[in-house]
Amino acid sequence: MAEDLWYSADADYSDYMEDALLVNKGVLAEYNTILKFVRMIDLSQNNFFGEIPIEVTDLLELQSLNLSHNSFTGRIPGNIGAMSFLESIDFSRNRLSGEIPQSISKLTFLSVLNLSNNKLSGKIPSSTQLQSFSASSYTGNELCGPPLSNNCTVSVPTSGNQNRGEKEGNEDEVDWFYVSMALGFVVGFWSFIGPLFFNRRWRCIYFQFLNRQQDKLSIVVRKCY
């Protein structure tokens, strides 16, 4: 809580200098050009709307950020994990959407988190820090995963869909079974027919064999009649 806060400007300087006395956790601190060293921002219960300014993530010394009870929309800044000194985040009761940034799991000093009553969706990033908060920190969204009771469901393809997918994926592959059948037929055909074309003696033997078979067949037919 701020015990004393004032702003001063010296006419001899062209740049506007700001001074502030802040009490944080019982420690009195004085800041000059405070935007670089600001520790806490509380803009809760206003009528702010639009996306959270990405510039807020440049406040690398920030320890507490409270934007609750506003009408902020859009996503939580993706690089919020760069604010490594954050100890408290309260974005509750806004209209934030999308997934919780994975980088938020890097905030190892985070001891207070409230993202409830927004339009966030997807899986809560996995980290020891984020799973240590109660489910109330995430309620009122479409989130899943620990510490919430609803697990994130992953659609598993059925065997029919899986076989169909494999078949579709193999449409452009060569079916070697049919290739081997065709190749075997060609090789077998020419192994038998080829010598008849190029060897006269084999042709004579073959035709004599056919004549004998024809004579035998004629005898069998005559006996049947």
Side-chain angles (χ1 to χ4, degrees):
M1 180 177 181
E3 295 289 345
D4 193 7
L5 177 64
W6 74 87
Y7 302 94
S8 63
D10 193 331
D12 294 334
Y13 294 92
S14 58
D15 296 331
Y16 184 75
M17 305 294 292
E18 295 179 331
D19 299 327
L21 283 178
L22 298 176
V23 176
N24 183 22
K25 296 184 177 180
V27 179
L28 180 64
E30 180 179 1
Y31 298 98
N32 296 316
T33 60
I34 61 172
L35 288 181
K36 182 178 180 180
F37 302 103
V38 66
R39 295 293 190 270
M40 297 182 295
I41 291 180
D42 188 344
L43 301 177
S44 60
Q45 299 185 16
N46 284 284
N47 293 318
F48 293 119
F49 59 91
E51 296 186 359
I52 298 175
I54 190 65
E55 289 78 11
V56 74
T57 59
D58 293 333
L59 303 175
L60 301 181
E61 304 292 328
L62 200 67
Q63 295 176 348
S64 176
L65 179 59
N66 189 347
L67 304 179
S68 63
H69 294 81
N70 283 288
S71 298
F72 285 109
T73 56
R75 295 175 175 266
I76 298 174
N79 62 335
I80 193 171
M83 306 170 72
S84 56
F85 290 100
L86 271 179
E87 300 176 7
S88 175
I89 296 176
D90 192 345
F91 291 163
S92 61
R93 296 192 179 277
N94 281 283
R95 300 175 184 174
L96 299 173
S97 59
E99 298 182 349
I100 299 175
Q102 186 66 39
S103 67
I104 201 171
S105 61
K106 299 178 181 179
L107 302 178
T108 55
F109 294 113
L110 196 62
S111 58
V112 176
L113 177 65
N114 192 350
L115 303 177
S116 61
N117 297 296
N118 280 283
K119 298 180 179 179
L120 299 172
S121 60
K123 182 180 180 181
I124 298 173
S126 299
S127 76
T128 305
Q129 200 74 7
L130 297 180
Q131 271 66 51
S132 65
F133 298 113
S134 65
S136 61
S137 297
Y138 305 100
T139 56
N141 293 285
E142 297 180 2
L143 296 168
C144 61
L148 298 178
S149 58
N150 55 320
N151 295 324
C152 299
T153 57
V154 179
S155 59
V156 178
T158 61
S159 58
N161 292 335
Q162 185 175 3
N163 292 336
R164 189 183 304 114
E166 293 178 355
K167 183 177 180 180
E168 291 174 356
N170 295 333
E171 283 181 352
D172 295 333
E173 296 183 3
V174 177
D175 195 328
W176 292 106
F177 175 76
Y178 295 106
V179 172
S180 61
M181 285 183 60
L183 184 61
F185 174 79
V186 172
V187 172
F189 178 81
W190 283 106
S191 296
F192 179 75
I193 300 297
L196 299 180
F197 280 98
F198 303 105
N199 193 313
R200 182 178 180 182
R201 181 172 176 274
W202 281 34
R203 284 201 302 271
C204 293
I205 295 173
Y206 179 69
F207 289 124
Q208 289 175 2
F209 171 78
L210 291 180
N211 288 332
R212 287 194 299 269
Q213 296 301 319
Q214 183 179 2
D215 293 338
K216 292 180 180 180
L217 182 61
S218 300
I219 295 171
V220 172
V221 172
R222 285 196 299 268
K223 287 183 178 180
C224 293
Y225 288 98

